[in-house]
Amino acid sequence: MTRVQEGSTQAGITRRRGLTGTLGRVGMIGAMVALGVPAVSTAADAPRRPNIVIILGDDLGYADMGSFGSEIRTPNLDALAANGTRFTNFYTHATCSPTRSMLLSGVDTHVNGLGNMDEWTAPNQLGVPGYEGHLNHRVATLPELLREAGYHTYMVGKWHLGKAPDLIPAARGFERDFSLLDGAGSYWDMTSFTALSPRSLFTEDGKYLRSLPSDYYATKTYTDKLIDFIDANRGDGKPFFAYVAHQAPHDPYHLPKDWRSRHVGEYDKGWDAVRQARLKRQIEMGILPKDTDLSERMWFIPDPIVLAPVARAMLGKKMELYAGMVENLDFHTGRLIEHLKEIGEYDNTVFIVFGDNGAEGTDLFAMIAGSPGTLNYLFAAKNWSNTHPNAWGDPGSYVAYGPMWAQVSMTPFSQYKGWVAEGGIRNALIVSGPVVKRPKGDINHGVMHVADLMPTLLEIAGATYPKTEGGQELPPLIGKSWGPVLAGKAESPRTEKDYLAWEIFGNHAVRQGDWKLRWQYKPLGKGAWELFDLRTDPGERKDLAAERPDKVKALLAVWDEYKKANNVILPSRSMFETLDDQLPPRTPVDPGYPPLIYKRQFVPPQDMLADPKP
């Protein structure tokens, strides 16, 4: 076949010319009827296809929206939940770029190029197909297929799937974009994290930017740009697909001053109390069963009760900033929603809201800055030295909230981003709009996966996934359409025999039905297979591997099937390879142990008190 060279900025756009002719009006109308999309008569008497908006929060935790039990105020996202359906068993990957690669390709990470993150590719994975560290050209992308099907395709926010001209959003199907190509950075300017890569890269409509707008603030600017994109094509009759990939609430916690003090003192009570309150609300809402237990507080996190008040206040202030980041994200989402209402597009728009992985509990800044005397340490001291608490949120400050608050964000689950415990891979999901025929405010417990978005959204758009591209076979989709679930005709797109599997940094897991088998590096894992029954133990507190060797054997066979089918190469090096030496020995966490530090002053009875005798 004739293939556009990967150095071309048009790679991935021009490759699929002629695809629209294969979609067919009959197939499109059939898909619209199946999903219950409202038919609006046009000159051609075809149904009016809905707009599609994906709101992706970066490191947004399972329990961080009000509609999933949070005390953080998210009225606009909660309104989408009240008008649509919340999904409690939705899975992404454990880190950002792998999740995004599956969202946009519908194909497993070890096939689409993100078998490992670009920043952590292991020596034995270098040069291996599927481990390029960017979204490769052996896959078709969702915006390419939607654009060929007659949709406008817009992207704003974080990309993290490649920086070369043939890898940027404009080369992978997006008609308009304003994108941060890196995985993170300042919200105020182009300052990045390392001495050898000091400036973040941005593109706008396929061009690399020399500078940012004078009033740039990431969350606001992304929203402004998207509204401009939508307005530029209003009235042409074409629906749009908008991929709104916010940086927020990824660290560093940068936000305007008037958003920093909306929870002053609220978190001084500590993480245990906040986590317990969130679980209580989740149970009352029906998000979780009434007998759900919290996962064990990680052994290296102190009980906040034993901390000095000033220490609790300083750590609480970090959570205040995080809450402000989430509320600011919600505010700007509200601006987008209000604009769609003003232009008459809200009722014909499908909204999909979720976070890209578990909340971030690792100190990324310390990992990047490294040791004194290194280039990165000097770079951090020069560019990220605005450390006074009163300056937190300003340019040059770097605040992250740590593992204690990450566990709060992931209530009730175990662990956080980077790990394949539930706290690393399970996320809150909201879907609302004309394709949702379930009762308003419905809560669904079916097992969903981020790779399901490709078949689901193609179905909504009346498009199909091609088997070949220019004579070359495309990898099959691994997801399943949510059409029957959204239409209220099914409770899950999966049966008990279907499975999901993950591998990143050497941590790996497989879930089939309610059973989950996982292997993780020490000390957060055991360096051995662990087995959990997620129906009765969503917090993964009790390892059943010794009790159920039959189930371990069965799931190992499933894991081997997955590993072989997707060319999974376990890494020879991992970002967690030294963690067992850095953390204190793992010990059980029992409330009130050891009693010594919890015992208060004994106060004798008043009638037995006396002064010393002369």
Side-chain angles (χ1 to χ4, degrees), residues 202-447:
F202 290 79
T203 59
E204 184 169 21
D205 296 341
K207 300 293 184 180
Y208 296 89
L209 293 181
R210 296 187 181 93
S211 61
L212 295 172
S214 58
D215 62 345
Y216 177 80
Y217 173 69
T219 314
K220 173 186 179 296
T221 301
Y222 297 152
T223 307
D224 292 343
K225 291 291 185 179
L226 178 59
I227 290 173
D228 289 345
F229 296 165
I230 293 169
D231 284 351
N233 291 312
R234 275 178 56 191
D236 67 1
K238 293 176 65 174
F240 65 82
F241 165 61
Y243 175 42
V244 190
H246 282 292
Q247 280 177 257
H250 194 295
D251 55 341
Y253 301 156
H254 286 171
L255 67 168
K257 284 184 168 62
D258 59 335
W259 289 91
R260 300 177 194 175
S261 303
R262 301 187 177 209
H263 292 266
V264 173
E266 183 173 343
Y267 297 107
D268 292 6
K269 57 192 171 186
W271 34 92
D272 283 2
V274 179
R275 197 157 69 119
Q276 289 160 4
R278 288 194 181 187
L279 176 62
K280 184 175 183 292
R281 286 189 290 269
Q282 289 173 328
I283 292 173
E284 291 170 348
M285 289 176 173
I287 299 292
L288 297 169
K290 63 180 180 180
D291 57 350
T292 300
D293 290 327
L294 284 172
S295 63
E296 187 177 57
R297 175 171 25 90
M298 297 174 125
W299 74 99
F300 56 88
I301 297 174
D303 184 334
I305 292 175
V306 305
L307 294 180
V310 66
R312 286 207 309 271
M314 292 302 293
L315 293 171
K317 185 176 177 65
K318 294 184 176 184
M319 185 62 190
E320 293 172 22
L321 291 172
Y322 180 83
M325 294 286 291
V326 176
E327 292 184 354
N328 183 266
L329 169 63
D330 179 82
F331 169 77
H332 288 291
T333 299
R335 289 180 53 221
L336 172 62
I337 291 171
E338 187 59 32
H339 185 73
L340 293 177
K341 289 179 178 178
E342 290 173 358
I343 65 175
E345 292 292 343
Y346 172 80
D347 290 333
N348 193 44
T349 299
V350 176
F351 291 90
I352 301 168
V353 181
F354 61 98
D356 62 346
N357 43 244
E360 179 61 87
T362 302
D363 189 341
L364 291 178
F365 187 63
M367 187 182 298
I368 294 168
S371 305
T374 63
L375 278 174
N376 286 339
Y377 193 87
L378 179 61
F379 181 86
K382 180 180 179 181
N383 294 280
W384 296 98
S385 59
N386 205 358
T387 57
H388 194 283
N390 290 342
W392 286 356
D394 286 346
S397 66
Y398 198 109
V399 177
Y401 64 0
M404 61 288 291
W405 295 116
Q407 275 207 286
V408 170
S409 288
M410 296 313 299
T411 304
F413 303 123
S414 174
Q415 303 177 20
Y416 40 72
K417 178 181 176 181
W419 302 88
V420 293
E422 293 295 282
I425 57 178
R426 201 190 296 198
N427 280 266
L429 170 68
I430 297 170
V431 183
S432 73
V435 301
V436 181
K437 301 303 179 183
R438 306 179 70 89
K440 291 185 183 301
D442 181 49
I443 296 175
N444 176 271
H445 305 292
V447 178

Side-chain angles (χ1 to χ4, degrees), residues 548-576:
R548 293 295 307 271
D550 58 321
K551 184 56 67 173
V552 171
K553 181 179 180 181
L555 288 175
L556 277 175
V558 175
W559 164 255
D560 288 339
E561 175 187 332
Y562 166 77
K563 182 179 177 182
K564 181 178 180 181
N566 294 283
N567 190 34
V568 176
I569 299 174
L570 295 179
S572 57
R573 300 291 304 275
S574 170
M575 65 183 295
F576 301 126

Side-chain angles (χ1 to χ4, degrees), residues 17-146:
R17 295 292 178 229
L19 178 62
T20 48
T22 69
L23 299 178
R25 184 177 303 276
V26 174
M28 181 183 75
I29 294 176
M32 297 298 99
V33 172
L35 283 165
V37 176
V40 178
S41 296
T42 65
D45 198 30
R48 183 185 177 205
R49 294 180 291 173
N51 308 309
I52 300 165
V53 175
I54 294 177
I55 306 289
L56 186 64
D58 196 351
D59 296 351
L60 182 70
Y62 183 91
D64 281 335
M65 292 185 282
S67 52
F68 278 81
S70 182
E71 73 292 336
I72 298 173
R73 295 180 285 271
T74 55
N76 297 295
L77 297 173
D78 296 346
L80 293 178
N83 193 50
T85 297
R86 283 167 285 176
F87 296 89
T88 68
N89 259 304
F90 171 68
Y91 286 95
T92 57
H93 216 310
T95 58
C96 43
S97 51
T99 290
R100 293 156 197 265
S101 73
M102 288 193 290
L103 186 165
L104 294 176
S105 73
V107 172
D108 187 81
T109 57
H110 303 87
V111 176
N112 66 33
L114 271 298
N116 204 340
M117 294 182 70
D118 177 54
E119 297 86 347
W120 300 101
T121 306
N124 65 324
Q125 296 169 337
L126 290 171
V128 178
Y131 296 83
E132 293 88 349
H134 59 256
L135 191 63
N136 64 38
H137 286 298
R138 292 186 296 278
V139 298
T141 71
L142 179 60
E144 286 171 354
L145 298 180
L146 291 179

